[in-house]
Every structure is written in structure tokens, then in C-alpha cells.
Amino acid sequence: MGASATVMVLPLDQEKRTEDLLGYAAVYAGGVTVLPWLLGYGVTRLVRAVRARRGGGASVG
């Protein structure tokens, strides 16, 4: 995060870029929280589908 944040903040001679910084923060927060969740969810679904196709795996519930 440090390198990308530095690139966003460094040009201090420019006027305020509140929208740019808010957009950067939103994309960073989404990448840190939502992306790993989506990857975990997708892998879980894939594993369950493969196990169901093979007929293996323990059934829960």
C-alpha cells in the first residue's frame, strides 16, 4: 500500500484532489476486503461442485 499511496499523495503542488483520494481509498478498501472474500467464496463453490460431481466428500447437515 505504501508505494501506491505515495504516488497518490506526493504531487503536493497540485490543488486538492479530494475526489481522487476518496476514490483511491474506496478501491483500496474494496480490494482488501471484498476481493479476498469473493476469491474464498468462489474457491469454496468450485471445491463443492467438484466433490459433488465425483460423489465424494462428507455431507453436512
Side-chain angles (χ1 to χ4, degrees), residues 25-43:
V27 168
Y28 179 78
V32 168
T33 57
V34 176
L35 185 61
W37 184 87
L38 285 174
L39 289 173
Y41 180 77
V43 168

Side-chain angles (χ1 to χ4, degrees), residues 14-19:
Q14 296 179 357
E15 66 276 352
K16 285 273 191 183
R17 297 174 298 151
T18 306
E19 293 176 5

Side-chain angles (χ1 to χ4, degrees), residues 7-11 14-22:
V7 169
M8 283 299 297
V9 176
L10 251 186
Q14 296 179 357
E15 66 276 352
K16 285 273 191 183
R17 297 174 298 151
T18 306
E19 293 176 5
D20 290 342
L21 293 175
L22 286 176

